[in-house]
Amino acid sequence: MDQASPKLTALCATALEAVALAGRLVMYPSGLWQEAPAPRAPSDIPGPRPVLLLHGFVDNRSVFALLRRSLARNGWQQVVCLNYSPLTCDVRTAAESLGRSIEELCAVTGHQQVDVVGHSLGGLIARYYAQRLAGDTRVHTLVTLGTPHSGTSAAAPLSVHPIVRQMRPGSELIEELAAPAPGCATRFVSFWSDVDRVMAPVLTARLDHPDLLVRTVRVQGVGHLAMPAHWAVAARVRQELQEALPGVPKAGPAYGIA
């Protein structure tokens, strides 16, 4: 590869991040209020599992506008976006709250399990629920987008916030998630990007744990903010949610996005 290509890729990724940030600012007010899943009759149970979307730090459900529309247009009847407060100070507390929301979603839809897509911190909260709070009985597949599974050093400037400190490498929470998790039944799919500047190093968004059923998906040329709003990422998320679990999944193929 010539030397200009990485520079051009980085330039394009930066421009895409700027567009994503502008979109965030425009859409943010529309996602401030919480929503509740609409009840479904038992006859509606066949079909895709309900999907719960969980945003990242200081964000809200508006970040998933494109992904939600993509899922709805492709047969998912129940797609729910969950907001949690930016004042949330502990991943464990947020995971417990997520568990209650999942129980409610199961109750109103009649499904025994759900799938979860979490962006950044949202993926870490959902992982804690599935891995440490016995949430694997409810979460069939957890897709994480740019989640700091082994901690990110980019969080250091914001470490005044307790939940940001939990996302740093070597934190008590990160070490707890690295501990053995035998029997965890949830299927994990971790998306990581080669140009994600919020994940430092970028491979921290790749989930590697000997006890977990994990597939990793490399995203090329799409940064942290753009990932949950990119059409090609949305298409691959749909593909992952459609797949059954054939034993222990192998690592997914690289998924280049120019």
Side-chain angles (χ1 to χ4, degrees):
M1 182 180 292
D2 60 78
Q3 294 300 312
S5 295
K7 293 181 180 179
L8 180 60
T9 297
L11 182 62
C12 291
T14 299
L16 190 59
E17 286 290 87
V19 171
L21 177 59
R24 288 281 213 289
L25 296 176
V26 171
M27 295 291 293
Y28 195 90
S30 68
L32 288 174
W33 63 89
Q34 191 61 276
E35 66 176 18
R40 295 286 183 180
S43 60
D44 290 330
I45 292 178
R49 287 178 295 273
V51 177
L52 189 147
L53 308 177
L54 196 61
H55 62 80
F57 182 62
V58 301
D59 220 328
N60 65 33
R61 63 188 181 86
S62 63
V63 68
F64 288 117
L66 183 145
L67 178 57
R68 182 177 190 171
R69 188 180 306 115
S70 176
L71 290 169
R73 288 178 175 176
N74 285 274
W76 276 265
Q77 299 178 2
Q78 279 284 355
V79 183
V80 176
C81 299
L82 179 65
N83 278 352
Y84 59 89
S85 171
L87 301 179
T88 301
C89 293
D90 182 62
V91 167
R92 300 174 184 87
T93 301
E96 292 173 357
S97 178
L98 171 62
R100 291 190 290 271
S101 296
I102 289 176
E103 290 297 324
E104 178 186 0
L105 182 56
C106 288
V108 300
T109 62
H111 284 265
Q112 294 301 308
Q113 288 188 305
V114 304
D115 294 327
V116 179
V117 179
H119 177 234
S120 195
L121 174 60
L124 203 63
I125 292 170
R127 178 185 168 192
Y128 192 92
Y129 168 68
Q131 183 181 331
R132 304 296 298 179
L133 300 180
D136 60 321
T137 60
R138 288 299 196 191
V139 179
H140 180 278
T141 297
L142 168 57
V143 177
T144 65
L145 308 176
T147 288
H149 289 293
S150 54
T152 173
S153 59
L158 298 175
S159 290
V160 64
H161 196 297
I163 209 165
V164 174
R165 291 198 294 271
Q166 291 183 324
M167 290 189 285
R168 297 190 64 182
S171 72
E172 182 180 341
L173 182 98
I174 295 298
E175 292 300 314
E176 184 179 352
L177 287 172
C184 182
T186 294
R187 171 179 179 255
F188 296 87
V189 184
S190 63
F191 283 62
W192 66 279
S193 169
D194 54 1
V195 293
D196 191 335
R197 296 177 181 175
V198 177
M199 298 295 104
V202 293
L203 285 177
T204 189
R206 174 176 174 144
L207 176 55
D208 292 300
H209 193 295
D211 294 332
L212 302 180
L213 305 174
V214 183
R215 172 176 290 168
T216 59
V217 179
R218 180 184 179 187
V219 178
Q220 296 176 316
V222 179
H224 190 79
L225 297 179
M227 200 179 302
H230 196 282
W231 66 269
V233 174
R236 182 58 186 264
V237 169
R238 292 200 316 269
Q239 176 185 329
E240 293 296 336
L241 294 180
Q242 289 169 344
E243 287 188 8
L245 181 61
V248 180
K250 299 180 180 180
Y255 193 53
I257 300 175

